Amino acid sequence: MNSDRMIEILNSSQADAWEMRECTTEGWEFYFIRHNLDQNRTRNVTHVDVTVYVNMDDGKSVGMANGEIHLTWNEHEVQDAVARLCENARYGVNPVFDLNHPVDVAVCHQEVDPYDNARDYIHAMQSITETEQAYLNSYEIFTQADTIRYRNSNGIDVTEVTPSSMVEVIVNARKDDHEIELYRMYRSGSCDERYLKQEIEKTMQYGMDRLQATDTPSGLYVPVLFSTEESVRIYDWFISQIDTAYIYRGISKVQKNDRLMEADAACPLTIRAVQTLPNSSFNHVIDEEGARIEDRVLIDQGVVTSLVGPRRFCQYLHEDDTFNLTNYVVTPSSISEEQIRSGSYLEVVEFSGFEVNAITGDIFGEIRLGYLHDENGVTVVKGGSVSGNIADQKKDMLFSDCLRQYNNKSVPAVTCLKHLTIAGCAKN
Protein backbone atom coordinates (compact mmCIF):
# COMPACT_ATOMS: atom_id res chain seq x y z
CA MET A 1 0.00 0.00 0.00
CA ASN A 2 1.28 3.48 -0.77
CA SER A 3 1.27 6.40 1.63
CA ASP A 4 -1.39 8.31 -0.33
CA ARG A 5 -3.91 5.57 0.40
CA MET A 6 -2.81 5.64 4.05
CA ILE A 7 -3.80 9.30 4.18
CA GLU A 8 -7.24 8.47 2.83
CA ILE A 9 -7.60 5.95 5.64
CA LEU A 10 -6.43 8.51 8.22
CA ASN A 11 -8.92 11.08 6.93
CA SER A 12 -11.78 8.60 7.28
CA SER A 13 -10.70 7.42 10.74
CA GLN A 14 -11.57 8.82 14.17
CA ALA A 15 -8.41 10.94 14.15
CA ASP A 16 -9.13 14.67 14.35
CA ALA A 17 -5.62 15.48 13.12
CA TRP A 18 -2.58 13.54 11.97
CA GLU A 19 1.06 13.74 10.92
CA MET A 20 2.92 11.42 8.56
CA ARG A 21 6.67 11.24 8.03
CA GLU A 22 7.80 8.99 5.21
CA CYS A 23 11.57 8.39 4.97
CA THR A 24 13.17 6.38 2.17
CA THR A 25 16.83 5.59 2.77
CA GLU A 26 19.21 4.49 0.03
CA GLY A 27 22.57 3.62 1.47
CA TRP A 28 25.87 1.79 1.27
CA GLU A 29 27.76 0.09 4.08
CA PHE A 30 31.41 -1.00 4.01
CA TYR A 31 33.21 -2.97 6.72
CA PHE A 32 37.02 -3.05 6.74
CA ILE A 33 39.49 -4.99 8.88
CA ARG A 34 42.67 -2.98 8.63
CA HIS A 35 42.31 -1.92 4.98
CA ASN A 36 40.88 -5.22 3.77
CA LEU A 37 37.20 -5.16 2.82
CA ASP A 38 35.40 -7.72 4.95
CA GLN A 39 31.90 -7.16 3.57
CA ASN A 40 29.64 -4.54 2.10
CA ARG A 41 25.96 -4.20 1.43
CA THR A 42 23.33 -1.77 0.19
CA ARG A 43 20.14 -0.61 1.86
CA ASN A 44 16.90 0.64 0.38
CA VAL A 45 14.21 0.88 3.02
CA THR A 46 11.17 3.05 3.68
CA HIS A 47 9.70 3.81 7.08
CA VAL A 48 6.35 5.55 7.54
CA ASP A 49 5.72 7.04 10.99
CA VAL A 50 2.22 8.24 11.79
CA THR A 51 0.97 10.30 14.73
CA VAL A 52 -2.78 10.65 15.31
CA TYR A 53 -4.57 13.20 17.48
CA VAL A 54 -8.02 12.70 18.99
CA ASN A 55 -9.88 15.59 20.65
CA MET A 56 -11.32 14.88 24.09
CA ASP A 57 -14.91 15.67 25.04
CA ASP A 58 -13.90 18.48 27.39
CA GLY A 59 -12.68 20.55 24.46
CA LYS A 60 -9.48 21.36 26.35
CA SER A 61 -7.49 18.19 25.82
CA VAL A 62 -6.16 16.15 22.94
CA GLY A 63 -4.88 12.59 22.94
CA MET A 64 -1.96 11.51 20.79
CA ALA A 65 -0.34 8.24 19.78
CA ASN A 66 2.45 7.33 17.39
CA GLY A 67 3.36 4.21 15.46
CA GLU A 68 4.93 2.87 12.28
CA ILE A 69 2.73 1.82 9.37
CA HIS A 70 4.38 -0.69 7.04
CA LEU A 71 4.02 -0.34 3.29
CA THR A 72 3.77 -4.14 3.03
CA TRP A 73 0.50 -4.18 4.99
CA ASN A 74 -2.80 -4.57 3.16
CA GLU A 75 -5.69 -2.13 3.53
CA HIS A 76 -7.37 -4.05 6.33
CA GLU A 77 -4.14 -4.18 8.36
CA VAL A 78 -3.58 -0.43 7.93
CA GLN A 79 -7.16 0.35 8.98
CA ASP A 80 -6.74 -1.80 12.09
CA ALA A 81 -3.43 -0.12 12.94
CA VAL A 82 -4.92 3.37 12.60
CA ALA A 83 -7.93 2.37 14.71
CA ARG A 84 -5.60 1.09 17.44
CA LEU A 85 -3.63 4.33 17.36
CA CYS A 86 -6.83 6.35 17.71
CA GLU A 87 -7.85 4.22 20.69
CA ASN A 88 -4.39 4.47 22.28
CA ALA A 89 -4.45 8.23 21.82
CA ARG A 90 -7.20 8.45 24.45
CA TYR A 91 -4.65 7.34 27.05
CA GLY A 92 -2.00 9.91 26.09
CA VAL A 93 -3.86 13.13 26.89
CA ASN A 94 -2.29 16.60 26.80
CA PRO A 95 -3.59 20.16 26.80
CA VAL A 96 -4.95 20.99 23.35
CA PHE A 97 -2.62 22.45 20.71
CA ASP A 98 -2.66 22.95 16.95
CA LEU A 99 -0.34 21.40 14.37
CA ASN A 100 1.80 23.55 12.10
CA HIS A 101 0.22 25.12 9.05
CA PRO A 102 1.69 25.41 5.51
CA VAL A 103 4.32 28.11 4.96
CA ASP A 104 6.40 29.04 1.94
CA VAL A 105 9.74 27.20 1.93
CA ALA A 106 12.43 27.00 -0.73
CA VAL A 107 13.33 23.33 -1.04
CA CYS A 108 16.68 22.59 -2.68
CA HIS A 109 16.33 19.30 -4.57
CA GLN A 110 19.95 18.19 -4.46
CA GLU A 111 21.36 15.10 -6.08
CA VAL A 112 22.85 12.78 -3.49
CA ASP A 113 24.84 9.69 -4.47
CA PRO A 114 25.71 7.62 -1.38
CA TYR A 115 28.05 5.39 -3.38
CA ASP A 116 30.19 8.35 -4.48
CA ASN A 117 30.20 9.55 -0.89
CA ALA A 118 31.35 6.12 0.34
CA ARG A 119 34.10 6.07 -2.29
CA ASP A 120 35.39 9.40 -0.97
CA TYR A 121 35.49 7.99 2.55
CA ILE A 122 37.36 4.88 1.44
CA HIS A 123 39.94 7.03 -0.33
CA ALA A 124 40.32 9.21 2.76
CA MET A 125 40.79 6.24 5.09
CA GLN A 126 43.35 4.61 2.82
CA SER A 127 45.40 7.81 2.69
CA ILE A 128 45.86 8.07 6.46
CA THR A 129 49.46 7.88 7.61
CA GLU A 130 50.07 4.84 9.83
CA THR A 131 53.04 3.32 11.62
CA GLU A 132 53.77 -0.03 13.23
CA GLN A 133 53.00 1.56 16.59
CA ALA A 134 49.80 3.42 15.63
CA TYR A 135 47.43 2.10 13.00
CA LEU A 136 43.83 1.49 12.01
CA ASN A 137 42.44 -1.70 13.51
CA SER A 138 39.15 -1.54 11.62
CA TYR A 139 36.58 0.90 10.32
CA GLU A 140 33.01 0.93 9.10
CA ILE A 141 31.54 3.40 6.61
CA PHE A 142 27.83 4.18 6.32
CA THR A 143 26.56 6.62 3.69
CA GLN A 144 22.99 7.31 2.71
CA ALA A 145 20.55 9.58 0.96
CA ASP A 146 17.36 10.21 2.91
CA THR A 147 14.25 11.26 1.00
CA ILE A 148 11.93 12.64 3.66
CA ARG A 149 8.32 13.60 2.96
CA TYR A 150 6.38 15.28 5.75
CA ARG A 151 2.62 15.74 5.56
CA ASN A 152 -0.05 16.69 8.06
CA SER A 153 -3.80 17.20 8.20
CA ASN A 154 -3.40 20.99 7.97
CA GLY A 155 -2.06 20.68 4.45
CA ILE A 156 1.73 20.67 4.79
CA ASP A 157 3.41 18.53 2.12
CA VAL A 158 7.19 18.99 1.84
CA THR A 159 9.79 16.58 0.44
CA GLU A 160 13.54 16.94 1.01
CA VAL A 161 16.57 14.86 0.07
CA THR A 162 19.55 15.05 2.40
CA PRO A 163 22.91 13.25 2.62
CA SER A 164 24.02 11.58 5.82
CA SER A 165 27.12 9.61 6.71
CA MET A 166 28.84 7.98 9.65
CA VAL A 167 32.29 6.46 10.08
CA GLU A 168 33.24 4.28 13.04
CA VAL A 169 36.96 3.79 13.59
CA ILE A 170 39.06 1.73 15.99
CA VAL A 171 42.64 2.95 16.31
CA ASN A 172 45.34 0.79 17.91
CA ALA A 173 48.46 2.14 19.58
CA ARG A 174 51.19 -0.02 21.08
CA LYS A 175 54.50 0.24 22.86
CA ASP A 176 56.47 -2.89 23.62
CA ASP A 177 53.94 -5.40 24.99
CA HIS A 178 51.32 -2.81 25.91
CA GLU A 179 48.55 -2.03 23.42
CA ILE A 180 45.37 0.03 23.65
CA GLU A 181 42.37 0.78 21.43
CA LEU A 182 40.62 4.09 20.89
CA TYR A 183 37.13 4.29 19.38
CA ARG A 184 35.85 7.20 17.30
CA MET A 185 32.59 7.96 15.49
CA TYR A 186 32.26 10.77 12.97
CA ARG A 187 28.93 12.03 11.59
CA SER A 188 28.43 14.50 8.77
CA GLY A 189 26.60 15.09 5.52
CA SER A 190 29.32 13.95 3.15
CA CYS A 191 33.04 13.24 3.37
CA ASP A 192 35.43 16.00 4.46
CA GLU A 193 38.70 14.22 3.70
CA ARG A 194 41.00 16.80 5.21
CA TYR A 195 39.08 16.97 8.49
CA LEU A 196 38.75 13.19 8.77
CA LYS A 197 42.46 12.59 8.23
CA GLN A 198 43.43 15.24 10.75
CA GLU A 199 41.10 13.86 13.41
CA ILE A 200 42.15 10.23 13.01
CA GLU A 201 45.87 11.00 12.87
CA LYS A 202 45.43 13.13 15.99
CA THR A 203 43.69 10.17 17.65
CA MET A 204 46.69 7.99 16.80
CA GLN A 205 48.95 10.49 18.55
CA TYR A 206 46.62 10.48 21.56
CA GLY A 207 46.96 6.70 21.69
CA MET A 208 50.75 6.86 21.68
CA ASP A 209 50.76 9.59 24.33
CA ARG A 210 48.45 7.63 26.58
CA LEU A 211 50.90 4.72 26.61
CA GLN A 212 53.42 6.96 28.37
CA ALA A 213 51.01 9.00 30.50
CA THR A 214 51.51 9.34 34.24
CA ASP A 215 48.79 9.64 36.87
CA THR A 216 47.11 13.02 37.16
CA PRO A 217 48.56 14.79 40.23
CA SER A 218 46.36 15.67 43.16
CA GLY A 219 46.06 19.24 44.36
CA LEU A 220 45.81 20.85 40.94
CA TYR A 221 44.18 24.29 40.81
CA VAL A 222 44.43 25.27 37.18
CA PRO A 223 41.95 26.07 34.40
CA VAL A 224 40.67 23.15 32.30
CA LEU A 225 40.71 23.43 28.50
CA PHE A 226 38.38 21.59 26.13
CA SER A 227 39.47 21.29 22.50
CA THR A 228 37.66 18.16 21.31
CA GLU A 229 34.03 17.20 20.67
CA GLU A 230 33.25 17.04 24.39
CA SER A 231 33.19 20.85 24.39
CA VAL A 232 29.88 20.66 22.47
CA ARG A 233 28.17 19.48 25.66
CA ILE A 234 28.99 22.78 27.34
CA TYR A 235 27.14 24.74 24.65
CA ASP A 236 24.37 22.14 24.48
CA TRP A 237 23.59 23.05 28.09
CA PHE A 238 22.82 26.63 27.10
CA ILE A 239 20.59 25.33 24.29
CA SER A 240 18.73 23.04 26.70
CA GLN A 241 17.86 26.05 28.88
CA ILE A 242 15.95 27.73 26.03
CA ASP A 243 14.11 24.57 24.97
CA THR A 244 10.36 24.97 25.51
CA ALA A 245 10.00 21.35 26.64
CA TYR A 246 12.47 21.98 29.48
CA ILE A 247 10.85 25.29 30.36
CA TYR A 248 7.27 23.97 30.38
CA ARG A 249 8.26 21.02 32.54
CA GLY A 250 10.05 23.29 35.00
CA ILE A 251 13.52 21.90 34.30
CA SER A 252 14.61 25.32 33.08
CA LYS A 253 13.43 28.57 34.64
CA VAL A 254 14.52 30.69 31.69
CA GLN A 255 12.23 33.13 29.86
CA LYS A 256 12.84 35.40 26.89
CA ASN A 257 14.98 38.44 27.72
CA ASP A 258 16.48 36.63 30.72
CA ARG A 259 20.23 36.58 31.15
CA LEU A 260 21.99 33.22 30.86
CA MET A 261 25.32 34.90 31.59
CA GLU A 262 26.29 37.82 33.76
CA ALA A 263 26.45 41.24 32.08
CA ASP A 264 30.17 41.49 32.89
CA ALA A 265 31.02 37.95 31.69
CA ALA A 266 34.51 37.56 30.24
CA CYS A 267 33.06 36.14 26.98
CA PRO A 268 29.38 37.05 26.49
CA LEU A 269 27.78 34.17 24.61
CA THR A 270 25.93 34.49 21.30
CA ILE A 271 24.38 31.42 19.62
CA ARG A 272 22.55 31.41 16.30
CA ALA A 273 20.25 28.83 14.77
CA VAL A 274 21.04 28.35 11.09
CA GLN A 275 19.05 26.49 8.47
CA THR A 276 22.17 25.40 6.61
CA LEU A 277 25.63 24.57 7.91
CA PRO A 278 28.29 23.31 5.47
CA ASN A 279 28.39 19.51 5.41
CA SER A 280 25.86 19.09 8.22
CA SER A 281 23.54 16.09 8.04
CA PHE A 282 20.78 18.24 9.55
CA ASN A 283 20.25 20.76 6.75
CA HIS A 284 16.46 21.00 6.36
CA VAL A 285 13.95 23.71 5.45
CA ILE A 286 11.37 22.34 7.93
CA ASP A 287 11.79 20.52 11.19
CA GLU A 288 10.33 17.09 12.03
CA GLU A 289 6.94 18.68 12.81
CA GLY A 290 6.67 20.82 9.68
CA ALA A 291 7.78 24.16 11.16
CA ARG A 292 9.94 26.34 8.93
CA ILE A 293 13.56 26.54 10.10
CA GLU A 294 15.09 30.02 9.97
CA ASP A 295 18.41 31.67 10.67
CA ARG A 296 17.86 33.30 14.03
CA VAL A 297 19.77 34.61 17.04
CA LEU A 298 18.81 32.54 20.08
CA ILE A 299 21.15 33.99 22.69
CA ASP A 300 22.59 37.48 22.15
CA GLN A 301 25.51 38.50 24.36
CA GLY A 302 24.20 36.21 27.08
CA VAL A 303 20.55 37.34 26.77
CA VAL A 304 17.81 34.94 25.63
CA THR A 305 16.17 36.34 22.49
CA SER A 306 14.31 33.30 21.13
CA LEU A 307 13.14 29.88 22.27
CA VAL A 308 13.21 26.57 20.41
CA GLY A 309 11.49 23.26 20.88
CA PRO A 310 8.57 20.97 20.05
CA ARG A 311 5.39 22.49 18.66
CA ARG A 312 3.07 21.67 21.56
CA PHE A 313 5.35 23.07 24.26
CA CYS A 314 5.91 26.22 22.20
CA GLN A 315 2.15 26.72 21.99
CA TYR A 316 1.70 26.08 25.70
CA LEU A 317 4.16 28.94 26.29
CA HIS A 318 2.48 31.12 23.63
CA GLU A 319 5.57 30.97 21.41
CA ASP A 320 4.15 30.10 18.00
CA ASP A 321 7.01 31.30 15.76
CA THR A 322 9.46 28.59 16.79
CA PHE A 323 10.96 25.34 15.55
CA ASN A 324 13.03 22.37 16.66
CA LEU A 325 16.71 23.24 16.49
CA THR A 326 18.77 21.49 13.82
CA ASN A 327 22.04 23.43 13.36
CA TYR A 328 23.64 26.06 15.57
CA VAL A 329 26.71 28.31 15.49
CA VAL A 330 28.45 29.95 18.44
CA THR A 331 29.80 33.40 17.62
CA PRO A 332 33.58 33.38 18.27
CA SER A 333 35.12 35.70 20.83
CA SER A 334 37.93 38.20 20.31
CA ILE A 335 40.35 36.12 22.37
CA SER A 336 42.92 34.07 20.48
CA GLU A 337 43.69 30.45 21.19
CA GLU A 338 47.23 31.48 22.10
CA GLN A 339 45.93 33.84 24.78
CA ILE A 340 43.72 31.14 26.27
CA ARG A 341 46.65 28.74 26.31
CA SER A 342 48.92 31.08 28.26
CA GLY A 343 49.97 30.14 31.78
CA SER A 344 49.27 26.85 33.53
CA TYR A 345 46.28 24.71 32.52
CA LEU A 346 45.08 21.12 32.05
CA GLU A 347 43.85 20.28 28.56
CA VAL A 348 41.74 17.12 28.63
CA VAL A 349 41.38 15.47 25.21
CA GLU A 350 40.05 12.05 26.22
CA PHE A 351 37.26 11.30 28.69
CA SER A 352 35.78 8.00 29.78
CA GLY A 353 32.58 10.00 29.94
CA PHE A 354 31.80 13.71 30.03
CA GLU A 355 28.45 15.23 30.98
CA VAL A 356 26.88 18.60 31.64
CA ASN A 357 23.58 17.75 33.33
CA ALA A 358 20.70 19.72 31.79
CA ILE A 359 18.69 19.68 35.03
CA THR A 360 21.31 20.50 37.67
CA GLY A 361 24.09 22.02 35.57
CA ASP A 362 26.57 19.63 37.18
CA ILE A 363 29.70 18.91 35.17
CA PHE A 364 31.61 15.66 35.45
CA GLY A 365 34.16 13.79 33.39
CA GLU A 366 36.69 10.99 34.01
CA ILE A 367 40.09 11.78 32.54
CA ARG A 368 41.57 9.24 30.13
CA LEU A 369 44.17 11.56 28.62
CA GLY A 370 45.22 15.11 29.32
CA TYR A 371 48.15 17.49 28.92
CA LEU A 372 49.24 19.42 31.99
CA HIS A 373 50.97 22.68 31.06
CA ASP A 374 52.96 24.41 33.81
CA GLU A 375 56.37 25.88 34.56
CA ASN A 376 57.91 22.42 34.08
CA GLY A 377 56.65 22.11 30.52
CA VAL A 378 54.05 19.63 29.32
CA THR A 379 53.21 16.41 31.21
CA VAL A 380 50.96 13.75 29.71
CA VAL A 381 48.49 12.56 32.37
CA LYS A 382 45.66 10.08 32.82
CA GLY A 383 43.20 9.18 35.56
CA GLY A 384 41.24 11.31 37.99
CA SER A 385 38.32 13.53 37.09
CA VAL A 386 37.03 17.06 36.62
CA SER A 387 33.79 18.28 38.20
CA GLY A 388 31.84 21.41 39.01
CA ASN A 389 28.69 23.27 38.04
CA ILE A 390 28.05 25.42 34.99
CA ALA A 391 26.64 28.19 37.22
CA ASP A 392 30.12 28.69 38.71
CA GLN A 393 31.82 28.71 35.31
CA LYS A 394 29.77 31.06 33.11
CA LYS A 395 31.12 34.42 34.22
CA ASP A 396 34.80 33.60 33.70
CA MET A 397 34.40 31.09 30.85
CA LEU A 398 36.68 31.82 27.89
CA PHE A 399 36.39 30.63 24.32
CA SER A 400 38.48 31.20 21.25
CA ASP A 401 38.16 33.43 18.21
CA CYS A 402 38.09 30.45 15.84
CA LEU A 403 35.49 27.71 15.50
CA ARG A 404 35.43 23.97 14.93
CA GLN A 405 32.44 22.17 13.47
CA TYR A 406 31.12 18.85 14.72
CA ASN A 407 28.45 17.87 12.18
CA ASN A 408 25.53 20.21 12.93
CA LYS A 409 27.23 22.30 15.64
CA SER A 410 29.94 24.91 15.16
CA VAL A 411 31.57 25.77 18.48
CA PRO A 412 34.78 27.49 19.62
CA ALA A 413 37.89 25.43 18.93
CA VAL A 414 39.04 25.93 22.53
CA THR A 415 36.89 26.48 25.61
CA CYS A 416 38.34 27.24 29.06
CA LEU A 417 36.53 26.63 32.36
CA LYS A 418 38.52 28.15 35.19
CA HIS A 419 36.82 26.86 38.32
CA LEU A 420 36.44 23.09 37.88
CA THR A 421 37.63 20.78 40.63
CA ILE A 422 40.40 18.45 39.45
CA ALA A 423 40.59 15.20 41.37
CA GLY A 424 43.94 13.58 40.70
CA CYS A 425 45.02 10.06 41.43
CA ALA A 426 48.63 10.69 42.39
CA LYS A 427 50.34 12.92 44.95
CA ASN A 428 52.62 15.75 43.87
Side-chain angles (χ1 to χ4, degrees), residues 64-115:
M64 54 188 294
N66 173 269
E68 182 172 356
I69 305 294
H70 297 276
L71 294 176
T72 55
W73 288 352
N74 60 39
E75 185 162 324
H76 179 70
E77 290 173 317
V78 173
Q79 289 173 335
D80 282 349
V82 171
R84 286 195 299 272
L85 285 176
C86 292
E87 180 61 29
N88 292 340
R90 300 182 183 279
Y91 300 98
V93 178
N94 298 275
V96 69
F97 65 98
D98 187 22
L99 303 184
N100 284 297
H101 291 265
V103 291
D104 292 331
V105 293
V107 179
C108 177
H109 295 287
Q110 56 182 318
E111 295 292 330
V112 180
D113 189 331
Y115 180 79

Side-chain angles (χ1 to χ4, degrees), residues 27 39 124 160 207 266 281 294 303 334 386 412:
Q39 61 175 308
E160 296 186 89
S281 61
E294 299 177 349
V303 178
S334 59
V386 297

Side-chain angles (χ1 to χ4, degrees), residues 72 289 311 327 367 398:
T72 55
E289 298 175 305
R311 170 72 172 174
N327 303 310
I367 302 169
L398 301 177

Side-chain angles (χ1 to χ4, degrees), residues 238-411:
F238 289 94
I239 294 297
S240 72
Q241 301 309 293
I242 62 172
D243 189 301
T244 54
Y246 283 77
I247 296 170
Y248 182 78
R249 289 165 172 160
I251 297 172
S252 170
K253 305 298 183 183
V254 169
Q255 300 294 326
K256 285 174 69 172
N257 301 316
D258 284 355
R259 280 201 165 274
L260 276 178
M261 300 183 79
E262 294 84 347
D264 58 347
C267 284
L269 183 67
T270 296
I271 301 181
R272 295 179 295 115
V274 294
Q275 184 189 92
T276 301
L277 195 59
N279 210 31
S280 166
S281 61
F282 286 83
N283 290 337
H284 301 286
V285 298
I286 63 170
D287 70 7
E288 60 201 45
E289 298 175 305
R292 178 171 54 196
I293 299 171
E294 299 177 349
D295 293 357
R296 181 179 299 175
V297 176
L298 305 176
I299 302 170
D300 186 9
Q301 298 288 294
V303 178
V304 177
T305 56
S306 185
L307 305 180
V308 293
R311 170 72 172 174
R312 63 188 175 108
F313 295 112
C314 293
Q315 285 208 330
Y316 297 161
L317 297 176
H318 309 292
E319 295 285 341
D320 284 338
D321 185 23
T322 52
F323 49 84
N324 287 287
L325 187 62
T326 50
N327 303 310
Y328 73 74
V329 177
V330 177
T331 299
S333 74
S334 59
I335 303 175
S336 69
E337 184 174 333
E338 290 73 20
Q339 290 174 290
I340 294 177
R341 291 183 177 277
S342 62
S344 298
Y345 61 89
L346 174 64
E347 179 178 8
V348 184
V349 297
E350 287 278 327
F351 287 94
S352 296
F354 180 72
E355 178 185 359
V356 183
N357 189 284
I359 299 175
T360 64
D362 288 336
I363 300 169
F364 182 78
E366 296 182 354
I367 302 169
R368 292 192 69 193
L369 177 66
Y371 299 94
L372 177 60
H373 295 249
D374 56 22
E375 65 277 4
N376 298 318
V378 181
T379 305
V380 184
V381 298
K382 61 180 175 65
S385 64
V386 297
S387 60
N389 191 282
I390 195 70
D392 302 323
Q393 312 297 321
K394 296 184 295 180
K395 182 176 181 179
D396 297 322
M397 182 174 82
L398 301 177
F399 49 85
S400 63
D401 60 358
C402 54
L403 302 179
R404 180 167 298 162
Q405 183 177 331
Y406 301 99
N407 194 12
N408 61 321
K409 300 167 183 179
S410 185
V411 302

Side-chain angles (χ1 to χ4, degrees), residues 7-247:
I7 288 179
E8 293 176 2
I9 293 173
L10 283 166
N11 285 332
S12 62
S13 72
Q14 294 185 11
D16 294 294
W18 53 263
E19 294 178 284
M20 176 182 289
R21 189 175 186 271
E22 181 180 357
C23 180
T24 298
T25 297
E26 298 180 49
W28 283 83
E29 301 176 3
F30 291 86
Y31 303 83
F32 288 85
I33 299 176
R34 296 297 300 263
H35 289 294
N36 298 316
L37 181 63
D38 182 55
Q39 61 175 308
N40 70 282
R41 62 187 180 187
T42 62
R43 288 182 296 132
N44 192 326
V45 297
T46 299
H47 294 280
V48 180
D49 290 313
V50 172
T51 303
V52 301
Y53 300 88
V54 177
N55 296 330
M56 299 294 104
D57 294 336
D58 61 7
K60 299 178 180 179
S61 306
V62 60
M64 54 188 294
N66 173 269
E68 182 172 356
I69 305 294
H70 297 276
L71 294 176
T72 55
W73 288 352
N74 60 39
E75 185 162 324
H76 179 70
E77 290 173 317
V78 173
Q79 289 173 335
D80 282 349
V82 171
R84 286 195 299 272
L85 285 176
C86 292
E87 180 61 29
N88 292 340
R90 300 182 183 279
Y91 300 98
V93 178
N94 298 275
V96 69
F97 65 98
D98 187 22
L99 303 184
N100 284 297
H101 291 265
V103 291
D104 292 331
V105 293
V107 179
C108 177
H109 295 287
Q110 56 182 318
E111 295 292 330
V112 180
D113 189 331
Y115 180 79
D116 285 347
N117 198 9
R119 182 181 57 195
D120 292 340
Y121 273 110
I122 293 171
H123 179 268
M125 298 301 294
Q126 292 178 342
S127 65
I128 289 173
T129 301
E130 301 175 77
T131 67
E132 291 186 2
Q133 288 73 40
Y135 56 90
L136 298 177
N137 174 301
S138 57
Y139 53 93
E140 301 174 358
I141 297 170
F142 306 86
T143 59
Q144 60 191 52
D146 294 323
T147 301
I148 302 170
R149 186 179 186 184
Y150 173 87
R151 288 177 280 184
N152 74 9
S153 51
N154 284 340
I156 296 179
D157 188 347
V158 175
T159 300
E160 296 186 89
V161 181
T162 59
S164 176
S165 59
M166 179 179 70
V167 177
E168 294 185 283
V169 183
I170 295 178
V171 169
N172 277 37
R174 64 185 181 188
K175 181 180 180 182
D176 301 327
D177 59 349
H178 188 197
E179 186 168 4
I180 61 172
E181 292 182 346
L182 297 179
Y183 168 81
R184 288 293 189 273
M185 180 174 65
Y186 305 97
R187 294 181 181 271
S188 63
S190 56
C191 177
D192 183 338
E193 181 173 341
R194 181 172 175 271
Y195 170 82
L196 188 65
K197 289 180 61 177
Q198 285 180 343
E199 288 298 306
I200 294 177
E201 289 173 1
K202 188 192 305 180
T203 300
M204 291 179 177
Q205 185 60 54
Y206 289 162
M208 294 303 299
D209 289 346
R210 191 168 185 274
L211 289 170
Q212 57 184 355
T214 59
D215 289 340
T216 303
S218 298
L220 286 178
Y221 300 97
V222 295
V224 179
L225 266 60
F226 299 83
S227 59
T228 58
E229 192 169 0
E230 280 78 7
S231 62
V232 169
R233 293 174 176 82
I234 297 170
Y235 300 97
D236 280 348
W237 180 86
F238 289 94
I239 294 297
S240 72
Q241 301 309 293
I242 62 172
D243 189 301
T244 54
Y246 283 77
I247 296 170

